[in-house]
């Protein structure tokens, strides 16, 4: 007979293999997939570590958005609420809650809601027809199971995108695993994110692929150094994720020869990596920094980058509350500010009793 752990391994492995095999290979990743908002970091900590992380394990329940296998006992009973103000009035709200069960494993539930604001609607003659809204949201449920140093987990998601009453719906899944060294502060995480299918496309449009992303990363803290390093590779299912801007074509060099944009192997590899770090000043105060090379290359302007790709953040615990903040550079015209507040509700209920 198969043990519960072996059944979970078989199920998670099967979903992961199907997700990878079903994804058609594309030359670039931008603009070719639906529900790309699912790739946005769902919390201040994720944003502070460069926007992608599958291995930084602590009490922050919002890390289930990065890898469901990061669920652990320190998160039990914790509710986290997040808010982000992006550019041009775009705002994102998130929520996550983690709880443990006696036999079914550790669960996490999440919500991500993105509002793009309101827009004026006009007819073909330019006459105003009023305003309409654009928003997207995803509901998720995660289940994890730990045996010794290994954790396996899966997440099911329902995603909805709406534009002026026209909606698209998709169901997706994440499958993740984590190895935690039994004695040292060293973890390795692997996750297949956003494998799924568009149940309903927008009216008049065909079905589009989901934003599949295979990620592998590690976090480690040297024994006598109060700093935890994180290195994460993303979009491992596809080597070439370089985008060449068509507007660069036609430019001339000093000899009046047309400059032909080229891709290099080094650039192709570098765009897959994100580097993050956490300065562990105390149990109640941490500082974070991150660098995302893909964002740096794709969001910079010709003559300036405006801090694109870099992020800086901090974690502060006050009494029963944990406050996280991150300032992430995305473009020369501005940056995004991430706020997350969390609290252990289990301790609150016990005090009331």
């Amino acid at each position: 007979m198969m043990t519960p752990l072996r059944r979970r391994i078989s199920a998670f492995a099967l979903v992961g293999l199907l997700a990878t095999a079903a994804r058609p290979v594309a030359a670039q990743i931008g603009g070719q997939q639906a529900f790309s908002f699912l790739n946005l970091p769902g919390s201040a900590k994720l944003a502070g570590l460069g926007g992608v992380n599958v291995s930084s394990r602590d009490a922050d329940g919002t890390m289930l958005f990065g890898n469901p296998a990061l669920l652990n006992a320190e998160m039990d009973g914790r509710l986290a609420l997040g808010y982000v103000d992006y550019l041009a009035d775009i705002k994102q709200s998130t929520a996550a809650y983690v709880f443990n069960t006696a036999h079914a494993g550790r669960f996490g539930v999440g919500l991500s809601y993105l509002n793009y604001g309101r827009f004026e609607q006009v007819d073909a003659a330019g006459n105003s027809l009023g305003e309409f809204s654009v928003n997207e949201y995803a509901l998720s449920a995660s289940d994890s199971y730990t045996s010794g140093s290994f954790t396996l987990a899966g997440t099911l998601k329902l995603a909805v995108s709406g534009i002026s009453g026209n909606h698209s719906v998709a169901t997706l899944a994440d499958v993740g695993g984590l190895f935690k060294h039994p004695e040292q502060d060293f973890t390795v995480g692997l996750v297949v994110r956003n494998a799924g299918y568009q149940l309903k496309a927008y009216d008049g449009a065909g079905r589009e692929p989901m934003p599949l992303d295979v990620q592998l990363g590690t976090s480690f803290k040297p024994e006598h150094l109060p700093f935890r390093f994180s290195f994460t590779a993303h979009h491992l299912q596809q080597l070439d994720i370089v985008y060449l801007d068509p507007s660069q074509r036609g430019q001339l060099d000093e000899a009046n020869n047309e400059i032909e944009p080229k891709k290099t192997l080094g650039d192709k590899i570098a765009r897959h990596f994100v580097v993050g770090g956490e300065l562990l000043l105390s149990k109640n105060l941490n500082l974070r920094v991150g660098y995302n090379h893909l964002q740096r290359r794709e969001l910079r302007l010709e003559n300036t980058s405006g801090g694109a790709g870099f992020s800086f953040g901090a974690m502060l615990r006050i009494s029963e509350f944990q406050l996280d903040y991150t300032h992430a550079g995305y473009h020369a015209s501005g940056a995004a500010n991430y706020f997350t507040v969390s609290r252990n509700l289990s301790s609150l209920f016990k005090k009331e009793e």
Side-chain angles (χ1 to χ4, degrees), residues 106-318:
R106 178 166 284 108
F107 285 86
V109 291
L111 168 66
S112 180
Y113 176 77
L114 193 65
N115 189 302
Y116 295 88
R118 299 194 65 81
F119 302 85
E120 184 180 5
Q121 184 174 358
V122 298
D123 60 18
N127 300 310
S128 177
L129 301 176
E131 294 184 334
F132 67 94
S133 61
V134 180
N135 52 68
E136 297 178 300
Y137 65 87
L139 299 170
S140 65
S142 305
D143 180 21
S144 71
Y145 183 84
T146 300
S147 178
S149 300
F150 295 90
T151 299
L152 292 173
T155 298
L156 294 178
K157 306 177 189 177
L158 178 66
V160 180
S161 178
I163 302 177
S164 185
N166 190 359
H167 291 85
S168 176
V169 182
T171 179
L172 307 98
D174 298 346
V175 181
L178 186 81
F179 167 77
K180 181 184 183 301
H181 194 280
E183 298 177 359
Q184 302 176 14
D185 191 341
F186 172 74
T187 55
V188 178
L190 171 67
V191 65
V192 178
R193 299 188 67 242
N194 300 324
Y197 181 74
Q198 192 173 19
L199 300 175
K200 179 184 180 300
Y202 280 113
D203 295 342
R207 286 188 171 88
E208 300 173 279
M210 297 296 100
L212 179 72
D213 191 353
V214 180
Q215 302 173 355
L216 174 66
T218 181
S219 296
F220 60 91
K221 175 188 173 299
E223 185 176 358
H224 301 293
L225 185 67
F227 196 89
R228 182 184 294 122
F229 299 89
S230 291
F231 298 93
T232 310
H234 56 90
H235 292 96
L236 294 177
Q237 79 280 4
Q238 178 180 332
L239 172 62
D240 185 4
I241 58 174
V242 177
Y243 172 74
L244 296 180
D245 189 349
S247 66
Q248 295 180 353
R249 297 185 180 275
Q251 297 183 9
L252 304 178
D253 59 18
E254 296 179 354
N256 289 327
N257 297 316
E258 183 176 348
I259 300 175
E260 183 70 23
K262 295 181 179 180
K263 300 179 181 181
T264 65
L265 179 60
D267 189 30
K268 290 179 181 179
I269 295 174
R271 293 192 187 214
H272 285 275
F273 286 92
V274 174
V275 181
E278 300 168 85
L279 180 60
L280 312 176
L281 298 176
S282 73
K283 182 180 179 180
N284 299 318
L285 178 62
N286 294 345
L287 300 180
R288 303 183 182 116
V289 62
Y291 174 70
N292 188 314
H293 188 65
L294 178 65
Q295 291 181 357
R296 180 75 173 179
R297 295 293 297 169
E298 293 199 344
L299 299 179
R300 69 186 306 274
L301 300 179
E302 184 178 352
N303 56 351
T304 182
S305 60
F310 287 97
S311 56
F312 306 91
M315 182 280 290
L316 176 65
R317 289 193 179 99
I318 302 177

